[in-house]
Each structure stands twice: as C-alpha cells, then as structure tokens.
Amino acid sequence: MNNFTFQNPTKLIFGSGTIAKLTKEIPLDKKIMITFGSGSVKQNGVYEQVKEALKGHNAIEFWGIEPNPTVETLRKAVAIGKEQGIDFLLAVGGGSVLDGTKLISSAIPFNGDAWELVLNPLLIKYMIPLASVLTLPATGSEMNRGAVISNHAIHEKRAFYSSHPQFSILDPLVTFSLPEYQVACGIADTFVHVVEQYLTTPGQSLLMDRWSESILQTLVEIAPKIKADPHNYDLMSQFMLCATMALNGFTAMGVTQDWATHMIGHEITALHGLTHGHTLAIILPGTMSIMKNQKWDKILQLGERVFKILNGDEALRVEQTIIETEQFFRSLGLETKLHEVGIGEETILKIKNRFLKEETVLGEAQNIDGNITEQILRQVL
Ligand code: NZQ
Ligand code: ZN
C-alpha cells in the first residue's frame, strides 16, 4: 500500500425533508449567494424548500450555471460576489452547479481572472465557504474538492482542485424529477469513478478493493430496478450514497489511480457537448481492451467478484468482463460506440494531436499518450 493522507471535512446530511436543515446550518450573519442551474429546481419543489429554509437569511440568487459549467458564466457570478461582499456560497443543483460554485468560491477573493485558477490551483490562497443541496447523484462533487470547468472560447474542459463543501444535503426525493437519461449517465459516472481507482495495479489494498467492489456490486444490482422503478425512494437512496462514496476519497487510500477514461471523456465533451457520464460509457470498454495486459489481474478480479464470471481460461474471462461492462452501460440505455452518437475520425485525430502536442500522459502507469489514446478511441469507433 502506498503512503497517503486522508482528510474529508464535508458533513453529509442525508434523507427526506433535510433541505429544511439549511436554516440552522448557515449562520445568520452570512451574506449568501445561492447558485442554480437553468431552472429544474423550480419544477421539482427544491427552490421553494431552499427559499423557505433561508427566509430569515440575507441571500441573493445567481442563475444560469450550465451543464459543463463555463468560466464565461462563472466570471459573472464572481463579479457580483465581489461587488456584494458575499461570504457564503450555497450551490443548489447537480455536479455542474457545485463545480462552478467551487470556482466562484476561489475566484471571489482572487485578484486575477478565474481561468488562471483552473490552470494553476496553487494560486488559490483563500476560499469563500461553500455548501450544497445536491439534486443529481453522479459526480461526488458534494463531498470532494474537485471541479471541472469548461472554457468555451478555447474549447477546453479542465479539472482543478478547490475546497470541499462544508456540508451537503442529499434528499433522495429530489432525484424523482430527473430524466431517465441523466439517471443513466449518473450511474455510469459513478461506476467509472470506482473503476478509475480500482482497475489498476493488483494487490495494493484488500480493503480498497472490497470497498470498491461493494459499490460496483450495488450499482449492478440496483440499476435495472431503478430503470423499472425510478421513483422508488429506497433505490434512489442506495444510488445517491453510492455516488457520494465513489468519489470522496474513501476508495482511494493508498492505491494508484487511472483517470485516463475521464480525461479522454472530457475532450469529447469539450468538442461535442456529449454528457459526461455518456462519454465514459463509450470510452471505458476501449480503455479496458487496449490496456488489458496491464490491467489483466484486476479485470479478472472485476469479472469474478462483480459480474460473477468464473468459467473459462483467463483470456476468455478478460474478454467476457469487458463485454459485460459494455453491456451494463447499454442496459442503462446508453450507446457505447462513437459512431452511434455521431462522432468520427476527425475527433479522434484532434484528441490524439492535442495530447501529443501537450505531451499528455495518462493512466496509473502514465503510459497512455496520444497514440494509445487514438487506439482506445478507434476501439470504440
Ligand atoms: O440546470 P438544471 O436546471 O439544474 O438542470 C440539470 C442539467 O440540465 C438537470 N438536473 C439536475 N438535477 C435535476 C435535474 N433535472 C431534473 N431534476 C433534478 N433533480 O440535469 C442536467 C445535468 O446536470 P449536471 O449538473 O450537468 O450533471 P452532473 O451532476 O452529471 O454534472 C456533470 C459535471 O460534473 C463534472 C462533469 O465533467 C460535468 O462538467 N464532474 C465533476 C466531478 C467532480 N467535481 O469531482 C467529477 C466527475 O467525474 C465529473 O467530471
Ligand atoms: Zn466522472
């Protein structure tokens, strides 16, 4: 096991009716900016619950943080935050609203442009405290300090590190208004978060392996049930907690991590706007196929412990596990080939050339360069 430091300060407040707890969680002397997406919270009652809980507080609203939040939009919130002396941020929405709010939190006390912080998080010296009411289980942003920000002007999407939310409220009832596609993408995202931290070097941590497998097993078990019954409180609770636990550091202690599938996925989103979880469902089977020799033992373990693939020689079981993984994504209703979502050769070459130009290397062994990325993308063309 590798050395590690673990700290996760986010307080989780979980369950039906918990949005009302905002009243006591945010001190009355704070000047709050509440951040939102494009309006789903007005249709599902979340907005009214937040307003009711904060009716005695001093709060302004910022609307319009889009999926794959852009620095262009966030700069506007930063300017208002500076002008109004905001000293607490409450993100109400999915991962995009939360991520965008993390950048606002770091950029209000910063004198330069927000994009500089994305490129160089070491410039972050102060952060406005932030908290969240999560409406979409997927990213884990509610309990991690990561954020992914897009820059429309230059077609880039980059991950950076800011602050953990002080607290996050997770009420599974708010997921009932999610479109089926967003639920599918959220399950795929959660699955791949675990895989990025698990399908790497064998024999590093028995505990992390089993912890990861328990999340994967739970997802495989509940996914078809959620598809059949998306308004089932217990099932959505299970999913919501899986999503948080998949990317809050609890499965990453002392183990190497991959993240190649994510980095390639971010390129696809930056170029085509395809939803994050969907990009991962397409790319992961390609990463597994092209990197199978390096990931051999872990693919076998995934097959055995999650998909119950026990028969046949090793090569057959490895192939079967890759097929089962792809089938899992297809069972969610997601396409798993680039051509099925209208993406072709030109995009593959763009991503390859960009990685080669920037000397990008990805994966647990830092050996996935532009050329291997091309192979991965061709595998799923
Ligand atoms: O804008 P609104 O009106 O809120 O609508 C959203 C949006 O259109 C809608 N939605 C959210 N909750 C809803 C709802 N619709 C009905 N009912 C609800 N309860 O869903 C749409 C997508 O929302 P978005 O926030 O974009 O989705 P998600 O949570 O999947 O976030 C994706 C973003 O997170 C980044 C992704 O790259 C992407 O930019 N990620 C962040 C990570 C992190 N912070 O650690 C890690 C992830 O790997 C990921 O990269
Ligand atoms: Zn993700």
Side-chain angles (χ1 to χ4, degrees):
M1 199 185 298
N2 299 328
N3 292 0
F4 68 91
T5 302
F6 175 79
Q7 184 177 21
N8 193 320
T10 303
K11 175 177 180 180
L12 269 195
I13 302 172
F14 193 99
S16 69
T18 46
I19 295 176
K21 291 192 185 276
L22 279 173
T23 316
K24 295 223 169 99
E25 289 296 330
I26 306 181
L28 274 169
D29 61 353
K30 294 288 178 197
K31 176 120 197 230
I32 310 165
M33 178 189 276
I34 315 174
T35 53
F36 299 99
S38 69
S40 64
V41 292
K42 283 211 167 152
Q43 277 139 35
N44 60 16
V46 171
Y47 177 71
E48 283 77 13
Q49 292 181 62
V50 170
K51 289 299 280 182
E52 176 62 25
L54 294 179
K55 65 182 177 213
H57 286 68
N58 184 3
I60 62 166
E61 298 175 10
F62 181 83
W63 287 88
I65 300 182
E66 59 279 82
N68 311 305
T70 65
V71 70
E72 286 88 350
T73 298
L74 301 169
R75 283 182 185 125
K76 295 180 201 159
V78 172
I80 298 169
K82 283 178 194 273
E83 195 183 286
Q84 303 256 340
I86 294 300
D87 60 3
F88 198 96
L89 291 157
L90 178 67
V92 181
S96 293
V97 176
L98 270 64
D99 284 9
T101 307
K102 288 178 182 173
L103 184 61
I104 300 169
S105 141
S106 307
I108 288 177
F110 179 62
N111 280 331
D113 176 52
W115 188 248
E116 287 176 47
L117 300 177
V118 178
L119 297 179
N120 182 9
L122 292 175
L123 294 172
I124 299 174
K125 298 285 182 255
Y126 305 99
M127 285 170 282
I128 307 280
L130 72 100
S132 79
V133 174
L134 181 74
T135 62
L136 199 175
T139 62
S141 190
E142 65 278 12
M143 202 177 178
N144 69 37
R145 61 191 195 93
V148 188
I149 307 296
S150 297
N151 187 322
H152 260 180
I154 52 175
H155 295 289
E156 283 192 13
K157 185 173 189 211
R158 287 187 185 261
F160 85 113
Y161 292 95
S162 153
S163 57
H164 284 88
Q166 275 189 356
F167 67 85
S168 285
I169 294 182
L170 278 63
D171 179 345
L173 286 173
V174 311
T175 65
F176 288 7
S177 57
L178 281 167
E180 191 178 355
Y181 178 69
Q182 289 298 340
V183 174
C185 289
I187 294 174
D189 196 16
T190 303
F191 188 95
V192 181
H193 290 160
V194 178
V195 166
E196 299 274 25
Q197 301 162 83
Y198 166 81
L199 208 70
T200 60
T201 321
Q204 296 184 101
S205 167
L206 293 170
L207 180 61
M208 291 301 114
D209 279 4
R210 293 200 165 97
W211 214 319
S212 294
E213 287 151 2
S214 69
I215 299 175
L216 297 173
Q217 286 164 350
T218 306
L219 291 171
V220 168
E221 182 176 332
I222 63 177
K225 296 180 184 167
I226 287 177
K227 205 166 192 316
D229 187 10
H231 295 174
N232 181 312
Y233 179 83
D234 184 50
L235 289 171
M236 291 313 268
S237 306
Q238 310 288 344
F239 168 35
M240 214 168 191
L241 193 54
C242 281
T244 302
M245 295 306 291
L247 195 51
N248 60 0
F250 277 77
T251 64
M253 294 177 217
V255 298
T256 50
Q257 300 182 40
D258 181 341
W259 297 106
T261 296
H262 264 72
M263 294 305 132
I264 302 169
H266 289 167
E267 296 297 313
I268 305 255
T269 302
L271 292 168
H272 294 277
L274 188 65
T275 297
H276 172 66
H278 198 170
T279 68
L280 307 176
I282 294 171
I283 296 159
L284 180 66
T287 308
M288 290 171 75
S289 290
I290 299 301
M291 302 310 290
K292 72 179 171 197
N293 290 337
Q294 185 171 302
K295 293 179 180 292
W296 193 263
D297 289 348
K298 273 318 222 356
I299 296 178
L300 284 170
Q301 189 174 320
L302 172 73
E304 182 185 324
R305 297 193 188 175
V306 175
F307 293 116
K308 312 288 174 239
I309 297 169
L310 306 169
N311 298 321
D313 64 19
E314 287 195 358
L316 193 73
R317 280 183 277 143
V318 164
E319 288 313 319
Q320 195 55 40
T321 304
I322 299 170
I323 291 168
E324 285 284 343
T325 303
E326 182 176 349
Q327 276 311 116
F328 175 66
F329 296 135
R330 291 197 88 84
S331 75
L332 301 173
L334 298 173
E335 297 88 355
T336 54
K337 297 287 184 240
L338 289 170
H339 77 263
E340 293 177 285
V341 293
I343 296 174
E345 186 79 18
E346 198 189 331
T347 299
I348 296 181
L349 294 177
K350 266 191 196 157
I351 297 174
K352 169 193 174 176
N353 291 334
R354 190 172 138 168
F355 281 2
L356 288 176
K357 188 169 154 225
E358 296 190 355
E359 297 181 9
T360 304
V361 280
L362 304 169
E364 68 273 17
Q366 293 286 282
N367 57 357
I368 301 182
D369 62 5
N371 292 315
I372 309 264
T373 298
E374 180 186 12
Q375 288 178 35
I376 290 173
L377 289 167
R378 285 197 188 286
Q379 180 73 24
V380 295
L381 189 57

